[in-house]
Amino acid sequence: MICDGDVPDSPLRIEVERRGLRRYTCSGGGRRTSRVRDMQERTWHDLPWAAHPVTVMYHQRRVRCRHCGIRTERIEFADPKARVTRRLQQLIGLDCQSMPTSHAAVRHAVSWGAARRAEVAFLRRWDRQRPKPRPRYIGLDEIQRGKGHQFWTVLSDIVHGEVIGLRQDRTEESTTTLLTQELTPPQRGRIRAVCTDMWTPYLNAVATVLKKADVVFDKFHVLQHASAALDDVRRQEFFRAGAVMRAVGRGKRWLLLRRWKTVRGSKRRELEELFAANRRLFKAYILREQLDRLWTYKTPQGVGNFLVSWLKALRWQRLPEMERLGAFLIRHLEGIAAYCFHPVRFGVVESLNTTIKAVIRRARGMRDEAILLLKLKWATAHPIRSVRDLKRFLQPYELHSNR
Ligand SMILES: [Zn+2]
């Protein structure tokens, strides 16, 4: 070990030397050989010791392999061509999952590019080595990216709550390739239901690729359609009804779209005042609240009967927006009632979406789809839940073995 000067944070160099048998592993096929062609001094960044940055030095051999020709020797402590040791790579990769790459780079005194390469190598190794679950239920969902009308399609395992794949648009073609490329044939064979939105390209793709799977419409999306209808009623009632009424309805959109049970205190009074000013809006609000019950029935008949009585309550109300919603729900009744046979956990779908949006927001400007997908997989699978899990990722690598 060599230390430059007495400064508390002076760099340390560790020279690694091979002892014992002079046999080297070829980095091509992993065969051992003792025929060395030449060697070259190389350095790797390693974990710091106290405040001292540490550099590992080693004379890496080039060997003459009978099968591969001239190749560099394989070393235990670092990936081929990497500038950092494997244990530092793991630490950087791990840090990058909870802080921006630029912060992790500063923290470990490497360049941004080196930190990013370390992160990618770390995530790839993790993804390669973990088992591939075969979920019964998968989710197909669009995620809005940025403020424009740019949508990404996310394929996820909604049994274990993990992201499986990602595409940069939401066309039928790319959804079809997403389903065929990201899922192996045994995985596809196991899928019994796909939880998705009422988006025709998705439905077509599912019908082509997963012929045996049912479609379950996501509760969140169904209620979103209901909220849109309710908002149409609000606009109809207040904004085309003269200046006085307009003032009453102004700025109430978000309040109106909230569910009754989540509204408290003064906001609840505000909502009641709004309903007192317009009974039709009140009626529409109640009708939307009732739709929650669509997912409480045990049989499709129950769902159907409920929807028929819901439509009956609409009669004479002169609420064309809600009537349109009713017709829409009737058209998609099969996919809504499919929940009776496939009780997918909508809560998992929603929390997945929240995590995905948070990762995308943090990784804004990230152009590389492959890295973003790896980050999403890591964030949703959250593989570190205990000290033991953490140890798996921070396993010490020997600097060099004597075999
Ligand atoms: Zn070889």
Side-chain angles (χ1 to χ4, degrees):
M1 197 185 276
I2 303 158
C3 186
D4 300 336
D6 304 325
V7 202
D9 58 352
S10 57
L12 283 183
R13 272 177 297 148
I14 297 176
E15 293 191 6
V16 178
E17 209 179 288
R18 214 172 233 286
R19 293 258 171 90
L21 278 174
R22 298 282 190 272
R23 304 249 297 167
Y24 304 94
T25 314
C26 158
S27 61
R31 285 190 176 76
R32 287 169 162 272
T33 174
S34 51
R35 299 170 67 203
V36 176
R37 183 178 188 265
D38 56 7
M39 54 182 164
Q40 199 183 7
E41 187 190 275
R42 286 193 60 201
T43 57
W44 292 265
H45 292 288
D46 194 18
L47 297 185
W49 183 77
H52 306 276
V54 173
T55 309
V56 169
M57 272 167 61
Y58 175 64
H59 289 276
Q60 192 171 17
R61 271 69 167 179
R62 278 203 297 172
V63 293
R64 283 178 212 276
C65 175
R66 237 178 299 156
H67 295 266
C68 321
I70 294 169
R71 282 292 174 101
T72 53
E73 158 202 13
R74 181 190 289 172
I75 44 177
E76 301 291 322
F77 59 84
D79 284 352
K81 292 190 181 129
R83 309 294 302 134
V84 300
T85 60
R86 205 168 274 156
R87 54 192 183 186
L88 179 59
Q89 179 194 73
Q90 286 188 321
L91 206 60
I92 295 172
L94 213 50
D95 273 357
C96 283
Q97 303 323 303
S98 54
M99 60 176 80
T101 309
S102 53
H103 292 199
V106 171
R107 201 165 114 85
H108 297 285
V110 294
S111 68
W112 186 91
R116 172 43 59 81
R117 280 191 297 277
E119 179 192 2
V120 173
F122 167 77
L123 287 175
R124 287 228 167 97
R125 180 173 313 115
W126 165 72
D127 191 42
R128 228 182 8 248
Q129 288 174 355
R130 75 203 182 107
K132 268 199 190 310
R134 285 159 58 183
R136 273 168 306 147
Y137 303 138
I138 58 163
L140 205 52
D141 207 349
E142 86 259 319
I143 297 283
Q144 193 175 2
R145 204 195 180 200
K147 285 197 175 111
H149 282 273
Q150 212 192 334
F151 287 94
W152 283 12
T153 302
V154 179
L155 173 69
S156 47
D157 166 350
I158 57 173
V159 177
H160 306 94
E162 291 176 22
V163 167
I164 301 174
L166 180 74
R167 285 294 181 276
Q168 294 230 11
D169 57 34
R170 49 170 187 172
T171 60
E172 182 179 332
E173 199 189 349
S174 66
T175 311
T176 308
T177 60
L178 179 66
L179 289 171
T180 43
Q181 287 173 4
E182 304 292 331
L183 297 166
T184 59
Q187 276 180 318
R188 286 203 294 271
R190 183 95 205 287
I191 293 166
R192 295 189 49 222
V194 184
C195 181
T196 183
D197 189 10
M198 290 157 255
W199 174 249
T200 317
Y202 288 173
L203 301 181
N204 290 344
V206 170
T208 350
V209 182
L210 303 165
K211 293 194 172 63
K212 284 184 195 157
D214 291 338
V215 168
V216 180
F217 289 127
D218 180 14
K219 179 179 177 179
F220 175 75
H221 280 113
V222 174
L223 290 181
Q224 225 172 24
H225 285 284
S227 291
L230 178 62
D231 196 43
D232 282 344
V233 175
R234 178 191 67 100
R235 225 170 291 151
Q236 193 70 28
E237 292 298 314
F238 287 104
F239 285 78
R240 288 161 211 165
V244 179
M245 283 305 275
R246 213 172 294 162
V248 176
R250 178 154 300 143
K252 297 292 193 307
R253 179 160 186 255
W254 293 112
L255 181 62
L256 191 67
L257 294 187
R258 279 168 65 181
R259 313 299 310 276
W260 182 251
K261 59 175 185 260
T262 67
V263 184
R264 298 256 152 75
S266 66
K267 287 290 170 196
R268 195 169 256 205
R269 265 197 305 286
E270 232 177 273
L271 206 51
E272 278 163 348
E273 277 163 26
L274 192 66
F275 292 149
N278 190 299
R279 297 310 287 175
R280 271 146 56 84
L281 189 64
F282 175 59
K283 191 75 207 172
Y285 188 84
I286 295 293
L287 283 164
R288 186 201 57 171
E289 288 288 286
Q290 284 173 346
L291 282 180
D292 247 356
R293 288 175 49 197
L294 275 174
W295 292 275
T296 58
Y297 294 95
K298 296 272 179 281
T299 61
Q301 287 78 20
V303 179
N305 291 344
F306 166 76
L307 206 54
V308 168
S309 63
W310 189 85
L311 284 169
K312 267 194 193 136
L314 254 178
R315 218 180 285 167
W316 322 122
Q317 296 294 335
R318 285 178 295 126
L319 287 166
E321 299 83 4
M322 296 313 266
E323 276 164 30
R324 267 202 298 279
L325 172 68
F328 178 79
L329 294 177
I330 290 282
R331 269 205 308 283
H332 293 96
L333 183 62
E334 198 190 339
I336 296 169
Y339 180 69
C340 298
F341 308 113
H342 307 292
V344 299
R345 285 145 71 207
F346 294 123
V348 174
V349 181
E350 252 194 284
S351 78
L352 257 175
N353 278 343
T354 313
T355 311
I356 292 167
K357 275 178 192 151
V359 172
I360 288 181
R361 200 178 310 121
R362 214 164 40 197
R364 65 186 176 277
M366 187 177 281
R367 294 277 167 273
D368 196 327
E369 196 183 307
I371 304 175
L372 185 60
L373 175 60
L374 283 169
K375 283 180 95 75
L376 285 174
K377 282 183 176 180
W378 176 276
T380 51
H382 40 107
I384 296 179
R385 294 167 209 242
S386 66
V387 179
R388 221 165 96 222
D389 292 341
L390 184 64
K391 275 193 183 145
R392 250 183 36 209
F393 292 101
L394 297 178
Q395 46 190 272
Y397 283 96
E398 284 177 62
L399 275 180
H400 127 67
S401 82
N402 270 333
R403 275 173 296 124

